mmCIF file with all atom_site columns, all heavy atoms in Angstrom:
data_model
loop_
_atom_site.group_PDB
_atom_site.id
_atom_site.type_symbol
_atom_site.label_atom_id
_atom_site.label_alt_id
_atom_site.label_comp_id
_atom_site.label_asym_id
_atom_site.label_entity_id
_atom_site.label_seq_id
_atom_site.pdbx_PDB_ins_code
_atom_site.Cartn_x
_atom_site.Cartn_y
_atom_site.Cartn_z
_atom_site.occupancy
_atom_site.B_iso_or_equiv
_atom_site.pdbx_formal_charge
_atom_site.auth_seq_id
_atom_site.auth_comp_id
_atom_site.auth_asym_id
_atom_site.auth_atom_id
_atom_site.pdbx_PDB_model_num
ATOM 1   N N   . ILE A 1 1  ? 211.780 69.463 60.428 1.00 98.00 ? 1  ILE A N   1
ATOM 2   C CA  . ILE A 1 1  ? 212.431 69.658 61.721 1.00 98.00 ? 1  ILE A CA  1
ATOM 3   C C   . ILE A 1 1  ? 213.916 69.904 61.480 1.00 98.00 ? 1  ILE A C   1
ATOM 4   O O   . ILE A 1 1  ? 214.558 69.182 60.720 1.00 98.00 ? 1  ILE A O   1
ATOM 5   C CB  . ILE A 1 1  ? 212.235 68.435 62.640 1.00 98.00 ? 1  ILE A CB  1
ATOM 6   C CG1 . ILE A 1 1  ? 210.745 68.254 62.975 1.00 98.00 ? 1  ILE A CG1 1
ATOM 7   C CG2 . ILE A 1 1  ? 213.051 68.580 63.927 1.00 98.00 ? 1  ILE A CG2 1
ATOM 8   C CD1 . ILE A 1 1  ? 210.449 67.003 63.775 1.00 98.00 ? 1  ILE A CD1 1
ATOM 9   N N   . ILE A 1 2  ? 214.453 70.933 62.136 1.00 98.00 ? 2  ILE A N   1
ATOM 10  C CA  . ILE A 1 2  ? 215.879 71.255 62.046 1.00 98.00 ? 2  ILE A CA  1
ATOM 11  C C   . ILE A 1 2  ? 216.502 71.063 63.418 1.00 98.00 ? 2  ILE A C   1
ATOM 12  O O   . ILE A 1 2  ? 216.014 71.597 64.420 1.00 98.00 ? 2  ILE A O   1
ATOM 13  C CB  . ILE A 1 2  ? 216.085 72.715 61.590 1.00 98.00 ? 2  ILE A CB  1
ATOM 14  C CG1 . ILE A 1 2  ? 215.505 72.932 60.186 1.00 98.00 ? 2  ILE A CG1 1
ATOM 15  C CG2 . ILE A 1 2  ? 217.575 73.082 61.614 1.00 98.00 ? 2  ILE A CG2 1
ATOM 16  C CD1 . ILE A 1 2  ? 215.418 74.397 59.778 1.00 98.00 ? 2  ILE A CD1 1
ATOM 17  N N   . ILE A 1 3  ? 217.573 70.271 63.473 1.00 98.00 ? 3  ILE A N   1
ATOM 18  C CA  . ILE A 1 3  ? 218.296 70.053 64.736 1.00 98.00 ? 3  ILE A CA  1
ATOM 19  C C   . ILE A 1 3  ? 219.774 70.326 64.449 1.00 98.00 ? 3  ILE A C   1
ATOM 20  O O   . ILE A 1 3  ? 220.504 69.446 64.000 1.00 98.00 ? 3  ILE A O   1
ATOM 21  C CB  . ILE A 1 3  ? 218.095 68.630 65.280 1.00 98.00 ? 3  ILE A CB  1
ATOM 22  C CG1 . ILE A 1 3  ? 216.638 68.166 65.147 1.00 98.00 ? 3  ILE A CG1 1
ATOM 23  C CG2 . ILE A 1 3  ? 218.531 68.568 66.740 1.00 98.00 ? 3  ILE A CG2 1
ATOM 24  C CD1 . ILE A 1 3  ? 216.404 66.731 65.582 1.00 98.00 ? 3  ILE A CD1 1
ATOM 25  N N   . GLU A 1 4  ? 220.198 71.528 64.718 1.00 97.00 ? 4  GLU A N   1
ATOM 26  C CA  . GLU A 1 4  ? 221.546 71.972 64.328 1.00 97.00 ? 4  GLU A CA  1
ATOM 27  C C   . GLU A 1 4  ? 222.461 72.098 65.546 1.00 97.00 ? 4  GLU A C   1
ATOM 28  O O   . GLU A 1 4  ? 222.143 72.785 66.509 1.00 97.00 ? 4  GLU A O   1
ATOM 29  C CB  . GLU A 1 4  ? 221.455 73.323 63.609 1.00 97.00 ? 4  GLU A CB  1
ATOM 30  C CG  . GLU A 1 4  ? 222.784 73.853 63.122 1.00 97.00 ? 4  GLU A CG  1
ATOM 31  C CD  . GLU A 1 4  ? 222.656 75.172 62.372 1.00 97.00 ? 4  GLU A CD  1
ATOM 32  O OE1 . GLU A 1 4  ? 221.545 75.748 62.324 1.00 97.00 ? 4  GLU A OE1 1
ATOM 33  O OE2 . GLU A 1 4  ? 223.675 75.639 61.833 1.00 97.00 ? 4  GLU A OE2 1
ATOM 34  N N   . GLY A 1 5  ? 223.607 71.421 65.487 1.00 92.00 ? 5  GLY A N   1
ATOM 35  C CA  . GLY A 1 5  ? 224.595 71.548 66.550 1.00 92.00 ? 5  GLY A CA  1
ATOM 36  C C   . GLY A 1 5  ? 224.133 71.019 67.891 1.00 92.00 ? 5  GLY A C   1
ATOM 37  O O   . GLY A 1 5  ? 224.549 71.523 68.937 1.00 92.00 ? 5  GLY A O   1
ATOM 38  N N   . VAL A 1 6  ? 223.293 69.995 67.890 1.00 92.00 ? 6  VAL A N   1
ATOM 39  C CA  . VAL A 1 6  ? 222.671 69.510 69.129 1.00 92.00 ? 6  VAL A CA  1
ATOM 40  C C   . VAL A 1 6  ? 222.913 68.021 69.374 1.00 92.00 ? 6  VAL A C   1
ATOM 41  O O   . VAL A 1 6  ? 223.307 67.609 70.469 1.00 92.00 ? 6  VAL A O   1
ATOM 42  C CB  . VAL A 1 6  ? 221.147 69.779 69.119 1.00 92.00 ? 6  VAL A CB  1
ATOM 43  C CG1 . VAL A 1 6  ? 220.477 69.151 70.340 1.00 92.00 ? 6  VAL A CG1 1
ATOM 44  C CG2 . VAL A 1 6  ? 220.862 71.281 69.055 1.00 92.00 ? 6  VAL A CG2 1
ATOM 45  N N   . LEU A 1 7  ? 222.669 67.185 68.366 1.00 95.00 ? 7  LEU A N   1
ATOM 46  C CA  . LEU A 1 7  ? 222.576 65.746 68.591 1.00 95.00 ? 7  LEU A CA  1
ATOM 47  C C   . LEU A 1 7  ? 223.888 65.092 69.015 1.00 95.00 ? 7  LEU A C   1
ATOM 48  O O   . LEU A 1 7  ? 223.869 64.011 69.616 1.00 95.00 ? 7  LEU A O   1
ATOM 49  C CB  . LEU A 1 7  ? 222.024 65.057 67.342 1.00 95.00 ? 7  LEU A CB  1
ATOM 50  C CG  . LEU A 1 7  ? 220.578 65.424 66.977 1.00 95.00 ? 7  LEU A CG  1
ATOM 51  C CD1 . LEU A 1 7  ? 220.114 64.630 65.759 1.00 95.00 ? 7  LEU A CD1 1
ATOM 52  C CD2 . LEU A 1 7  ? 219.637 65.181 68.150 1.00 95.00 ? 7  LEU A CD2 1
ATOM 53  N N   . MET A 1 8  ? 225.014 65.734 68.754 1.00 91.00 ? 8  MET A N   1
ATOM 54  C CA  . MET A 1 8  ? 226.289 65.146 69.180 1.00 91.00 ? 8  MET A CA  1
ATOM 55  C C   . MET A 1 8  ? 226.445 65.129 70.700 1.00 91.00 ? 8  MET A C   1
ATOM 56  O O   . MET A 1 8  ? 227.286 64.412 71.237 1.00 91.00 ? 8  MET A O   1
ATOM 57  C CB  . MET A 1 8  ? 227.472 65.868 68.538 1.00 91.00 ? 8  MET A CB  1
ATOM 58  C CG  . MET A 1 8  ? 227.589 67.352 68.874 1.00 91.00 ? 8  MET A CG  1
ATOM 59  S SD  . MET A 1 8  ? 226.493 68.388 67.889 1.00 91.00 ? 8  MET A SD  1
ATOM 60  C CE  . MET A 1 8  ? 227.196 68.266 66.259 1.00 91.00 ? 8  MET A CE  1
ATOM 61  N N   . TYR A 1 9  ? 225.599 65.896 71.397 1.00 90.00 ? 9  TYR A N   1
ATOM 62  C CA  . TYR A 1 9  ? 225.668 65.944 72.856 1.00 90.00 ? 9  TYR A CA  1
ATOM 63  C C   . TYR A 1 9  ? 224.625 65.025 73.518 1.00 90.00 ? 9  TYR A C   1
ATOM 64  O O   . TYR A 1 9  ? 224.407 65.097 74.724 1.00 90.00 ? 9  TYR A O   1
ATOM 65  C CB  . TYR A 1 9  ? 225.446 67.380 73.339 1.00 90.00 ? 9  TYR A CB  1
ATOM 66  C CG  . TYR A 1 9  ? 226.417 68.367 72.719 1.00 90.00 ? 9  TYR A CG  1
ATOM 67  C CD1 . TYR A 1 9  ? 225.982 69.343 71.830 1.00 90.00 ? 9  TYR A CD1 1
ATOM 68  C CD2 . TYR A 1 9  ? 227.779 68.313 73.022 1.00 90.00 ? 9  TYR A CD2 1
ATOM 69  C CE1 . TYR A 1 9  ? 226.870 70.242 71.255 1.00 90.00 ? 9  TYR A CE1 1
ATOM 70  C CE2 . TYR A 1 9  ? 228.673 69.202 72.447 1.00 90.00 ? 9  TYR A CE2 1
ATOM 71  C CZ  . TYR A 1 9  ? 228.217 70.166 71.566 1.00 90.00 ? 9  TYR A CZ  1
ATOM 72  O OH  . TYR A 1 9  ? 229.105 71.049 70.997 1.00 90.00 ? 9  TYR A OH  1
ATOM 73  N N   . ILE A 1 10 ? 223.984 64.173 72.724 1.00 92.00 ? 10 ILE A N   1
ATOM 74  C CA  . ILE A 1 10 ? 222.909 63.318 73.217 1.00 92.00 ? 10 ILE A CA  1
ATOM 75  C C   . ILE A 1 10 ? 223.284 61.845 72.991 1.00 92.00 ? 10 ILE A C   1
ATOM 76  O O   . ILE A 1 10 ? 223.877 61.493 71.975 1.00 92.00 ? 10 ILE A O   1
ATOM 77  C CB  . ILE A 1 10 ? 221.585 63.663 72.499 1.00 92.00 ? 10 ILE A CB  1
ATOM 78  C CG1 . ILE A 1 10 ? 221.200 65.117 72.793 1.00 92.00 ? 10 ILE A CG1 1
ATOM 79  C CG2 . ILE A 1 10 ? 220.476 62.721 72.918 1.00 92.00 ? 10 ILE A CG2 1
ATOM 80  C CD1 . ILE A 1 10 ? 219.980 65.585 72.038 1.00 92.00 ? 10 ILE A CD1 1
ATOM 81  N N   . LYS A 1 11 ? 222.906 60.988 73.930 1.00 93.00 ? 11 LYS A N   1
ATOM 82  C CA  . LYS A 1 11 ? 223.225 59.569 73.824 1.00 93.00 ? 11 LYS A CA  1
ATOM 83  C C   . LYS A 1 11 ? 222.396 58.887 72.735 1.00 93.00 ? 11 LYS A C   1
ATOM 84  O O   . LYS A 1 11 ? 221.282 59.303 72.440 1.00 93.00 ? 11 LYS A O   1
ATOM 85  C CB  . LYS A 1 11 ? 222.958 58.868 75.167 1.00 93.00 ? 11 LYS A CB  1
ATOM 86  C CG  . LYS A 1 11 ? 223.829 59.357 76.308 1.00 93.00 ? 11 LYS A CG  1
ATOM 87  C CD  . LYS A 1 11 ? 223.421 58.670 77.605 1.00 93.00 ? 11 LYS A CD  1
ATOM 88  C CE  . LYS A 1 11 ? 224.234 59.177 78.787 1.00 93.00 ? 11 LYS A CE  1
ATOM 89  N NZ  . LYS A 1 11 ? 223.774 58.558 80.066 1.00 93.00 ? 11 LYS A NZ  1
ATOM 90  N N   . GLU A 1 12 ? 222.947 57.797 72.197 1.00 95.00 ? 12 GLU A N   1
ATOM 91  C CA  . GLU A 1 12 ? 222.252 57.053 71.146 1.00 95.00 ? 12 GLU A CA  1
ATOM 92  C C   . GLU A 1 12 ? 220.868 56.593 71.606 1.00 95.00 ? 12 GLU A C   1
ATOM 93  O O   . GLU A 1 12 ? 219.899 56.650 70.848 1.00 95.00 ? 12 GLU A O   1
ATOM 94  C CB  . GLU A 1 12 ? 223.075 55.846 70.710 1.00 95.00 ? 12 GLU A CB  1
ATOM 95  C CG  . GLU A 1 12 ? 222.412 55.056 69.591 1.00 95.00 ? 12 GLU A CG  1
ATOM 96  C CD  . GLU A 1 12 ? 223.160 53.788 69.230 1.00 95.00 ? 12 GLU A CD  1
ATOM 97  O OE1 . GLU A 1 12 ? 224.174 53.879 68.506 1.00 95.00 ? 12 GLU A OE1 1
ATOM 98  O OE2 . GLU A 1 12 ? 222.706 52.714 69.684 1.00 95.00 ? 12 GLU A OE2 1
ATOM 99  N N   . SER A 1 13 ? 220.761 56.122 72.837 1.00 96.00 ? 13 SER A N   1
ATOM 100 C CA  . SER A 1 13 ? 219.468 55.652 73.337 1.00 96.00 ? 13 SER A CA  1
ATOM 101 C C   . SER A 1 13 ? 218.421 56.759 73.309 1.00 96.00 ? 13 SER A C   1
ATOM 102 O O   . SER A 1 13 ? 217.241 56.510 73.031 1.00 96.00 ? 13 SER A O   1
ATOM 103 C CB  . SER A 1 13 ? 219.615 55.111 74.762 1.00 96.00 ? 13 SER A CB  1
ATOM 104 O OG  . SER A 1 13 ? 220.105 56.116 75.645 1.00 96.00 ? 13 SER A OG  1
ATOM 105 N N   . GLU A 1 14 ? 218.863 57.987 73.572 1.00 96.00 ? 14 GLU A N   1
ATOM 106 C CA  . GLU A 1 14 ? 217.936 59.127 73.559 1.00 96.00 ? 14 GLU A CA  1
ATOM 107 C C   . GLU A 1 14 ? 217.592 59.539 72.129 1.00 96.00 ? 14 GLU A C   1
ATOM 108 O O   . GLU A 1 14 ? 216.489 60.015 71.866 1.00 96.00 ? 14 GLU A O   1
ATOM 109 C CB  . GLU A 1 14 ? 218.543 60.294 74.335 1.00 96.00 ? 14 GLU A CB  1
ATOM 110 C CG  . GLU A 1 14 ? 218.709 60.006 75.818 1.00 96.00 ? 14 GLU A CG  1
ATOM 111 C CD  . GLU A 1 14 ? 219.425 61.119 76.562 1.00 96.00 ? 14 GLU A CD  1
ATOM 112 O OE1 . GLU A 1 14 ? 220.499 61.553 76.092 1.00 96.00 ? 14 GLU A OE1 1
ATOM 113 O OE2 . GLU A 1 14 ? 218.920 61.547 77.610 1.00 96.00 ? 14 GLU A OE2 1
ATOM 114 N N   . ILE A 1 15 ? 218.551 59.352 71.223 1.00 96.00 ? 15 ILE A N   1
ATOM 115 C CA  . ILE A 1 15 ? 218.279 59.619 69.807 1.00 96.00 ? 15 ILE A CA  1
ATOM 116 C C   . ILE A 1 15 ? 217.171 58.687 69.312 1.00 96.00 ? 15 ILE A C   1
ATOM 117 O O   . ILE A 1 15 ? 216.226 59.108 68.650 1.00 96.00 ? 15 ILE A O   1
ATOM 118 C CB  . ILE A 1 15 ? 219.539 59.409 68.945 1.00 96.00 ? 15 ILE A CB  1
ATOM 119 C CG1 . ILE A 1 15 ? 220.696 60.295 69.402 1.00 96.00 ? 15 ILE A CG1 1
ATOM 120 C CG2 . ILE A 1 15 ? 219.218 59.631 67.463 1.00 96.00 ? 15 ILE A CG2 1
ATOM 121 C CD1 . ILE A 1 15 ? 220.572 61.753 69.114 1.00 96.00 ? 15 ILE A CD1 1
ATOM 122 N N   . LYS A 1 16 ? 217.293 57.408 69.655 1.00 96.00 ? 16 LYS A N   1
ATOM 123 C CA  . LYS A 1 16 ? 216.269 56.437 69.267 1.00 96.00 ? 16 LYS A CA  1
ATOM 124 C C   . LYS A 1 16 ? 214.913 56.809 69.866 1.00 96.00 ? 16 LYS A C   1
ATOM 125 O O   . LYS A 1 16 ? 213.875 56.715 69.203 1.00 96.00 ? 16 LYS A O   1
ATOM 126 C CB  . LYS A 1 16 ? 216.670 55.036 69.734 1.00 96.00 ? 16 LYS A CB  1
ATOM 127 C CG  . LYS A 1 16 ? 217.853 54.443 68.993 1.00 96.00 ? 16 LYS A CG  1
ATOM 128 C CD  . LYS A 1 16 ? 218.150 53.045 69.519 1.00 96.00 ? 16 LYS A CD  1
ATOM 129 C CE  . LYS A 1 16 ? 219.295 52.387 68.774 1.00 96.00 ? 16 LYS A CE  1
ATOM 130 N NZ  . LYS A 1 16 ? 219.596 51.033 69.296 1.00 96.00 ? 16 LYS A NZ  1
ATOM 131 N N   . GLU A 1 17 ? 214.930 57.242 71.119 1.00 96.00 ? 17 GLU A N   1
ATOM 132 C CA  . GLU A 1 17 ? 213.698 57.656 71.792 1.00 96.00 ? 17 GLU A CA  1
ATOM 133 C C   . GLU A 1 17 ? 213.052 58.824 71.054 1.00 96.00 ? 17 GLU A C   1
ATOM 134 O O   . GLU A 1 17 ? 211.829 58.857 70.854 1.00 96.00 ? 17 GLU A O   1
ATOM 135 C CB  . GLU A 1 17 ? 214.008 58.049 73.232 1.00 96.00 ? 17 GLU A CB  1
ATOM 136 C CG  . GLU A 1 17 ? 212.811 58.575 74.012 1.00 96.00 ? 17 GLU A CG  1
ATOM 137 C CD  . GLU A 1 17 ? 213.209 59.180 75.350 1.00 96.00 ? 17 GLU A CD  1
ATOM 138 O OE1 . GLU A 1 17 ? 214.314 58.864 75.847 1.00 96.00 ? 17 GLU A OE1 1
ATOM 139 O OE2 . GLU A 1 17 ? 212.430 59.984 75.895 1.00 96.00 ? 17 GLU A OE2 1
ATOM 140 N N   . LEU A 1 18 ? 213.881 59.783 70.634 1.00 96.00 ? 18 LEU A N   1
ATOM 141 C CA  . LEU A 1 18 ? 213.368 60.947 69.925 1.00 96.00 ? 18 LEU A CA  1
ATOM 142 C C   . LEU A 1 18 ? 212.753 60.558 68.585 1.00 96.00 ? 18 LEU A C   1
ATOM 143 O O   . LEU A 1 18 ? 211.671 61.036 68.215 1.00 96.00 ? 18 LEU A O   1
ATOM 144 C CB  . LEU A 1 18 ? 214.489 61.977 69.723 1.00 96.00 ? 18 LEU A CB  1
ATOM 145 C CG  . LEU A 1 18 ? 214.093 63.301 69.071 1.00 96.00 ? 18 LEU A CG  1
ATOM 146 C CD1 . LEU A 1 18 ? 213.085 64.051 69.935 1.00 96.00 ? 18 LEU A CD1 1
ATOM 147 C CD2 . LEU A 1 18 ? 215.331 64.170 68.816 1.00 96.00 ? 18 LEU A CD2 1
ATOM 148 N N   . ILE A 1 19 ? 213.424 59.683 67.846 1.00 96.00 ? 19 ILE A N   1
ATOM 149 C CA  . ILE A 1 19 ? 212.910 59.219 66.553 1.00 96.00 ? 19 ILE A CA  1
ATOM 150 C C   . ILE A 1 19 ? 211.546 58.555 66.731 1.00 96.00 ? 19 ILE A C   1
ATOM 151 O O   . ILE A 1 19 ? 210.590 58.853 66.007 1.00 96.00 ? 19 ILE A O   1
ATOM 152 C CB  . ILE A 1 19 ? 213.899 58.232 65.897 1.00 96.00 ? 19 ILE A CB  1
ATOM 153 C CG1 . ILE A 1 19 ? 215.189 58.949 65.496 1.00 96.00 ? 19 ILE A CG1 1
ATOM 154 C CG2 . ILE A 1 19 ? 213.262 57.577 64.664 1.00 96.00 ? 19 ILE A CG2 1
ATOM 155 C CD1 . ILE A 1 19 ? 216.328 58.004 65.132 1.00 96.00 ? 19 ILE A CD1 1
ATOM 156 N N   . ASN A 1 20 ? 211.455 57.671 67.705 1.00 95.00 ? 20 ASN A N   1
ATOM 157 C CA  . ASN A 1 20 ? 210.195 56.958 67.941 1.00 95.00 ? 20 ASN A CA  1
ATOM 158 C C   . ASN A 1 20 ? 209.084 57.900 68.390 1.00 95.00 ? 20 ASN A C   1
ATOM 159 O O   . ASN A 1 20 ? 207.936 57.755 67.968 1.00 95.00 ? 20 ASN A O   1
ATOM 160 C CB  . ASN A 1 20 ? 210.409 55.849 68.977 1.00 95.00 ? 20 ASN A CB  1
ATOM 161 C CG  . ASN A 1 20 ? 211.187 54.677 68.420 1.00 95.00 ? 20 ASN A CG  1
ATOM 162 O OD1 . ASN A 1 20 ? 211.077 54.354 67.253 1.00 95.00 ? 20 ASN A OD1 1
ATOM 163 N ND2 . ASN A 1 20 ? 212.001 54.048 69.260 1.00 95.00 ? 20 ASN A ND2 1
ATOM 164 N N   . SER A 1 21 ? 209.432 58.877 69.228 1.00 96.00 ? 21 SER A N   1
ATOM 165 C CA  . SER A 1 21 ? 208.434 59.839 69.704 1.00 96.00 ? 21 SER A CA  1
ATOM 166 C C   . SER A 1 21 ? 207.903 60.694 68.565 1.00 96.00 ? 21 SER A C   1
ATOM 167 O O   . SER A 1 21 ? 206.695 60.936 68.466 1.00 96.00 ? 21 SER A O   1
ATOM 168 C CB  . SER A 1 21 ? 209.032 60.741 70.784 1.00 96.00 ? 21 SER A CB  1
ATOM 169 O OG  . SER A 1 21 ? 209.281 60.028 71.968 1.00 96.00 ? 21 SER A OG  1
ATOM 170 N N   . ILE A 1 22 ? 208.804 61.144 67.690 1.00 96.00 ? 22 ILE A N   1
ATOM 171 C CA  . ILE A 1 22 ? 208.385 61.959 66.547 1.00 96.00 ? 22 ILE A CA  1
ATOM 172 C C   . ILE A 1 22 ? 207.467 61.145 65.642 1.00 96.00 ? 22 ILE A C   1
ATOM 173 O O   . ILE A 1 22 ? 206.421 61.617 65.198 1.00 96.00 ? 22 ILE A O   1
ATOM 174 C CB  . ILE A 1 22 ? 209.610 62.482 65.772 1.00 96.00 ? 22 ILE A CB  1
ATOM 175 C CG1 . ILE A 1 22 ? 210.328 63.561 66.596 1.00 96.00 ? 22 ILE A CG1 1
ATOM 176 C CG2 . ILE A 1 22 ? 209.193 63.054 64.415 1.00 96.00 ? 22 ILE A CG2 1
ATOM 177 C CD1 . ILE A 1 22 ? 211.655 64.001 66.019 1.00 96.00 ? 22 ILE A CD1 1
ATOM 178 N N   . SER A 1 23 ? 207.863 59.906 65.378 1.00 95.00 ? 23 SER A N   1
ATOM 179 C CA  . SER A 1 23 ? 207.061 59.051 64.512 1.00 95.00 ? 23 SER A CA  1
ATOM 180 C C   . SER A 1 23 ? 205.669 58.813 65.097 1.00 95.00 ? 23 SER A C   1
ATOM 181 O O   . SER A 1 23 ? 204.660 58.932 64.397 1.00 95.00 ? 23 SER A O   1
ATOM 182 C CB  . SER A 1 23 ? 207.762 57.714 64.302 1.00 95.00 ? 23 SER A CB  1
ATOM 183 O OG  . SER A 1 23 ? 206.937 56.815 63.600 1.00 95.00 ? 23 SER A OG  1
ATOM 184 N N   . THR A 1 24 ? 205.620 58.514 66.369 1.00 95.00 ? 24 THR A N   1
ATOM 185 C CA  . THR A 1 24 ? 204.356 58.183 67.024 1.00 95.00 ? 24 THR A CA  1
ATOM 186 C C   . THR A 1 24 ? 203.450 59.386 67.210 1.00 95.00 ? 24 THR A C   1
ATOM 187 O O   . THR A 1 24 ? 202.242 59.323 66.968 1.00 95.00 ? 24 THR A O   1
ATOM 188 C CB  . THR A 1 24 ? 204.628 57.537 68.402 1.00 95.00 ? 24 THR A CB  1
ATOM 189 O OG1 . THR A 1 24 ? 205.411 56.354 68.214 1.00 95.00 ? 24 THR A OG1 1
ATOM 190 C CG2 . THR A 1 24 ? 203.326 57.174 69.094 1.00 95.00 ? 24 THR A CG2 1
ATOM 191 N N   . ASN A 1 25 ? 204.037 60.523 67.648 1.00 95.00 ? 25 ASN A N   1
ATOM 192 C CA  . ASN A 1 25 ? 203.234 61.671 68.065 1.00 95.00 ? 25 ASN A CA  1
ATOM 193 C C   . ASN A 1 25 ? 203.074 62.765 67.017 1.00 95.00 ? 25 ASN A C   1
ATOM 194 O O   . ASN A 1 25 ? 202.149 63.567 67.123 1.00 95.00 ? 25 ASN A O   1
ATOM 195 C CB  . ASN A 1 25 ? 203.838 62.288 69.330 1.00 95.00 ? 25 ASN A CB  1
ATOM 196 C CG  . ASN A 1 25 ? 203.847 61.338 70.494 1.00 95.00 ? 25 ASN A CG  1
ATOM 197 O OD1 . ASN A 1 25 ? 202.806 61.064 71.082 1.00 95.00 ? 25 ASN A OD1 1
ATOM 198 N ND2 . ASN A 1 25 ? 205.016 60.815 70.830 1.00 95.00 ? 25 ASN A ND2 1
ATOM 199 N N   . LEU A 1 26 ? 203.963 62.775 66.030 1.00 95.00 ? 26 LEU A N   1
ATOM 200 C CA  . LEU A 1 26 ? 203.888 63.825 65.015 1.00 95.00 ? 26 LEU A CA  1
ATOM 201 C C   . LEU A 1 26 ? 203.580 63.277 63.637 1.00 95.00 ? 26 LEU A C   1
ATOM 202 O O   . LEU A 1 26 ? 202.881 63.908 62.843 1.00 95.00 ? 26 LEU A O   1
ATOM 203 C CB  . LEU A 1 26 ? 205.203 64.625 64.993 1.00 95.00 ? 26 LEU A CB  1
ATOM 204 C CG  . LEU A 1 26 ? 205.293 65.851 64.095 1.00 95.00 ? 26 LEU A CG  1
ATOM 205 C CD1 . LEU A 1 26 ? 204.142 66.819 64.369 1.00 95.00 ? 26 LEU A CD1 1
ATOM 206 C CD2 . LEU A 1 26 ? 206.632 66.558 64.317 1.00 95.00 ? 26 LEU A CD2 1
ATOM 207 N N   . GLY A 1 27 ? 204.099 62.105 63.339 1.00 88.00 ? 27 GLY A N   1
ATOM 208 C CA  . GLY A 1 27 ? 203.800 61.510 62.039 1.00 88.00 ? 27 GLY A CA  1
ATOM 209 C C   . GLY A 1 27 ? 204.961 61.621 61.073 1.00 88.00 ? 27 GLY A C   1
ATOM 210 O O   . GLY A 1 27 ? 206.120 61.572 61.469 1.00 88.00 ? 27 GLY A O   1
ATOM 211 N N   . ASN A 1 28 ? 204.672 61.799 59.805 1.00 94.00 ? 28 ASN A N   1
ATOM 212 C CA  . ASN A 1 28 ? 205.693 61.808 58.759 1.00 94.00 ? 28 ASN A CA  1
ATOM 213 C C   . ASN A 1 28 ? 206.347 63.177 58.651 1.00 94.00 ? 28 ASN A C   1
ATOM 214 O O   . ASN A 1 28 ? 205.677 64.182 58.398 1.00 94.00 ? 28 ASN A O   1
ATOM 215 C CB  . ASN A 1 28 ? 205.066 61.429 57.426 1.00 94.00 ? 28 ASN A CB  1
ATOM 216 C CG  . ASN A 1 28 ? 204.395 60.059 57.483 1.00 94.00 ? 28 ASN A CG  1
ATOM 217 O OD1 . ASN A 1 28 ? 204.805 59.193 58.254 1.00 94.00 ? 28 ASN A OD1 1
ATOM 218 N ND2 . ASN A 1 28 ? 203.364 59.874 56.689 1.00 94.00 ? 28 ASN A ND2 1
ATOM 219 N N   . VAL A 1 29 ? 207.670 63.216 58.848 1.00 97.00 ? 29 VAL A N   1
ATOM 220 C CA  . VAL A 1 29 ? 208.392 64.483 58.816 1.00 97.00 ? 29 VAL A CA  1
ATOM 221 C C   . VAL A 1 29 ? 209.733 64.323 58.120 1.00 97.00 ? 29 VAL A C   1
ATOM 222 O O   . VAL A 1 29 ? 210.278 63.216 58.013 1.00 97.00 ? 29 VAL A O   1
ATOM 223 C CB  . VAL A 1 29 ? 208.637 65.039 60.244 1.00 97.00 ? 29 VAL A CB  1
ATOM 224 C CG1 . VAL A 1 29 ? 207.331 65.235 61.000 1.00 97.00 ? 29 VAL A CG1 1
ATOM 225 C CG2 . VAL A 1 29 ? 209.571 64.124 61.028 1.00 97.00 ? 29 VAL A CG2 1
#
């Protein structure tokens, strides 16, 4: 997964949500 020039505009709580969602729904990346 590539996330370029994006995450600085997102809140920490949403970053954590994204990490957990990827882990749960996509697996090892």
Side-chain angles (χ1 to χ4, degrees):
I1 296 175
I2 298 168
I3 318 176
E4 182 178 6
V6 174
L7 295 183
M8 61 279 291
Y9 304 112
I10 299 175
K11 297 176 182 177
E12 181 185 281
S13 60
E14 294 175 310
I15 302 288
K16 290 181 178 179
E17 177 190 340
L18 184 62
I19 293 167
N20 287 327
S21 291
I22 289 172
S23 173
T24 301
N25 298 286
L26 186 53
N28 302 331
V29 302

